[in-house]
Amino acid sequence: MTDSPFDDYLEMVDRVGVLLGYSEGDLKPLHSPKRSIIVSIPIEMDDGMVEIFTGFRVQYDTIRGPAKGGIRYHPAVTLDEVKALAAWMSVKCAVVDIPFGGAKGGVAVDPSQLSMRELERLTRRYTAEIFDIIGPDKDIPAPDVGTHPQIMAWVMDTISMKRGYVEPGTVTGKPVPLGGSRGRDEATARGLLYTVRAAFRVLGMTLEGARVVIQGYGNVGSNAARLLHEAGARIIAVSDVRGGIHASGGLDPQEVARHARETGSVGGLPGTKTITNAELLTLECDLLVPAALGGQITVENARRVRARVIAEGANGPTTPEADAILREKGVFIIPDILANAGGVVVSYFEWVQDRYGYFWKEEVVRERLEEKMRQAFHDVLGMAERHRVDMRTAAYALGVERIVEARRLRGLYG
Ligand code: NAD
């Protein structure tokens, strides 16, 4: 593995390029972003001091449609990370076949250290700095780690005020009263559930009674726990940044969520055994869902992973060397660019609804999400079978194929 997630992406693109018989010329446009910008964000803090934050927006590829990708607020945000996340978004949107390219934005900031007023000033100033390059036909931001629907509401308001008219389709993940889509909150987890169902069917496994371990209990992890539990699975362990809990008889996800709300962590829930995040990843189970950060399953622990299936809720939770070890062990991996694509699919639905000004019932969102995720899973599986490769390689191959085909049709000028 390299130290750079972007270099990992490049290696993968070149590998699938060989598999698909593409020339260097076909692949070169996928090697660098269309546009990267770095902006300074000066804001006045509540105590009257001035702070300057650094923000980024990378539009990786727009050959299949406007760029699409979240905005991350995290102290460790760097241009290299944003570039890698934007590149992954390009491939992910192609895998689920929605008419978008890929983008990502970020601000190097710890949002938990800012008041709501400071967060609002930061968001509005960052939006103003990237105003010229975003919009419903250019680049559509969304929430990511450290950002939430209220932040998207400020982005939408800043753009609308500068344009002089309300423009809801300029950002997704908004609150429902401002043109957000029903079902967006749980969309990533619900999409993950649909891919897990499809995988279990192919593998001859059943969700009823399946033992599930989930790392991370935020938006993706907690909703995945609830939905998998509703589907009949037994959630035997979960964790958050402070540590994990284990109950071989199964946990009630709603009770865990209540406990986490009241105490600030899933840890210490009565009737459960305390475990570390490291122990959690190596528990024997039918399904492991990493839903926290990147780089969690590594060369250090991959040999000890005892899951039959891994569905990657997080982006990049498995390092390339760990991936090779898991493949050797016969673990079936539903890769991030497929497993967690439900969020961007419903973001696409939100953009469509905003442009029509006509909003769907939650059941319609779920039905259309299921159709998209099932189709994408089988498209990836078909690619894996045709080329006798694993699901991750197949997902990249499918995404890269769709991007290269679009570029061939449009030409290099695009
Ligand atoms: P979140 O901030 O809501 O939750 C993250 C969870 O991970 C929290 O429970 C946190 O305590 C836990 N965590 C943080 N550091 C940890 C550590 N070192 N060990 C164990 N747990 C840790 O974030 P989220 O929206 O649920 O996103 C989780 C992952 O899923 C991220 O990698 C994100 O990029 C990816 N993802 C999210 C979406 C989405 O729609 N929310 C879509 C696609 C991908």
Side-chain angles (χ1 to χ4, degrees):
M1 182 180 105
T2 64
D3 285 338
S4 148
F6 184 65
D7 287 345
D8 294 341
Y9 155 83
L10 291 178
E11 268 183 41
M12 197 59 163
V13 165
D14 287 343
R15 186 139 65 81
V16 302
V18 171
L19 187 75
L20 297 169
Y22 287 147
S23 68
E24 210 187 312
D26 285 327
L27 295 176
K28 258 193 184 164
L30 280 98
H31 284 178
S32 53
K34 181 184 170 73
R35 181 184 281 132
S36 307
I37 65 167
I38 304 178
V39 297
S40 273
I41 311 164
I43 62 161
E44 189 180 330
M45 307 302 278
D46 290 347
D47 63 5
M49 300 296 281
V50 171
E51 282 289 343
I52 300 190
F53 296 92
T54 304
F56 308 91
R57 186 75 187 167
V58 174
Q59 295 172 344
Y60 202 84
D61 192 88
T62 53
I63 207 74
R64 302 179 70 258
K68 183 87 190 83
I71 299 171
R72 179 171 287 199
Y73 286 179
H74 191 278
V77 163
T78 61
L79 183 60
D80 186 76
E81 184 193 48
V82 175
K83 201 161 64 162
L85 290 163
W88 285 335
M89 282 304 296
S90 304
V91 183
K92 190 186 292 188
C93 291
V95 168
V96 286
D97 206 11
I98 54 178
F100 289 141
K104 205 78 177 190
V107 178
V109 59
D110 180 352
S112 69
Q113 299 303 306
L114 264 55
S115 70
M116 282 299 269
R117 300 303 305 274
E118 289 166 342
L119 211 50
E120 177 174 352
R121 287 196 287 274
L122 176 86
T123 301
R124 289 188 184 277
R125 183 57 193 258
Y126 170 66
T127 305
E129 292 294 338
I130 62 171
F131 173 76
D132 287 339
I133 60 161
I134 60 177
D137 295 311
K138 294 181 181 174
D139 177 358
I140 307 128
D144 189 69
V145 175
T147 55
H148 46 67
Q150 177 59 66
I151 290 178
M152 299 306 115
W154 292 325
V155 172
M156 179 267 209
D157 183 66
T158 305
I159 293 171
S160 296
M161 292 312 291
K162 280 171 81 74
R163 295 236 200 278
Y165 52 88
V166 179
E167 195 164 62
T170 203
V171 60
T172 60
K174 299 178 296 297
V176 170
L178 292 184
S181 178
R182 291 187 176 80
R184 176 63 183 84
D185 278 1
E186 57 159 41
T188 302
R190 187 168 282 282
L192 183 136
L193 167 75
Y194 294 144
T195 61
V196 167
R197 263 205 196 129
F200 270 40
R201 211 167 287 134
V202 167
L203 297 168
M205 295 166 68
T206 163
L207 263 178
E208 191 63 46
R211 294 158 306 165
V212 176
V213 170
I214 300 179
Q215 184 195 39
Y217 216 69
N219 175 292
V220 181
S222 66
N223 280 309
R226 177 176 57 81
L227 294 170
L228 286 159
H229 176 75
E230 282 169 17
R234 186 153 45 105
I235 314 300
I236 61 166
V238 300
S239 69
D240 58 27
V241 66
R242 301 211 205 149
I245 50 174
H246 181 206
S248 43
L251 296 158
D252 173 355
Q254 306 281 34
E255 200 185 325
V256 177
R258 198 173 323 116
H259 178 78
R261 257 195 318 275
E262 283 165 9
T263 66
S265 172
V266 299
L269 180 72
T272 64
K273 193 178 136 212
T274 299
I275 53 169
T276 63
N277 263 293
E279 287 164 341
L280 173 124
L281 292 172
T282 59
L283 286 173
E284 189 179 345
C285 61
D286 299 297
L287 173 66
L288 171 63
V289 182
L293 299 177
Q296 296 299 298
I297 307 177
T298 65
V299 71
E300 306 297 328
N301 59 11
R303 274 179 226 291
R304 284 178 284 119
V305 167
R306 288 180 293 159
R308 290 178 69 190
V309 177
I310 296 178
E312 295 181 334
N315 285 314
T318 312
T319 65
E321 293 106 322
D323 195 43
I325 295 169
L326 295 172
R327 273 204 306 273
E328 239 171 68
K329 283 166 61 102
V331 180
F332 187 92
I333 301 178
I334 314 174
D336 47 9
I337 55 171
L338 172 62
N340 72 28
V344 74
V345 169
V346 176
S347 271
Y348 163 55
F349 294 163
E350 180 173 335
W351 177 79
V352 170
Q353 293 170 77
D354 288 338
R355 306 198 92 188
Y356 266 79
Y358 177 68
F359 293 87
W360 311 344
K361 290 186 196 154
E362 189 151 353
E363 304 87 83
V364 175
V365 172
R366 287 184 188 175
E367 218 173 87
R368 292 181 178 171
L369 174 63
E370 181 166 14
E371 194 185 312
K372 271 272 173 223
M373 297 307 294
R374 249 214 301 229
Q375 182 66 48
F377 180 88
H378 287 286
D379 288 350
V380 172
L381 188 67
M383 179 68 89
E385 287 170 353
R386 251 190 329 280
H387 291 280
R388 294 205 174 75
V389 292
D390 61 285
M391 290 291 280
R392 190 187 310 281
T393 307
Y396 268 86
L398 180 68
V400 167
E401 184 178 65
R402 288 179 173 158
I403 294 169
V404 170
E405 287 310 307
R407 185 169 289 284
R408 278 183 175 168
L409 290 164
R410 283 184 61 173
L412 252 194
Y413 184 81

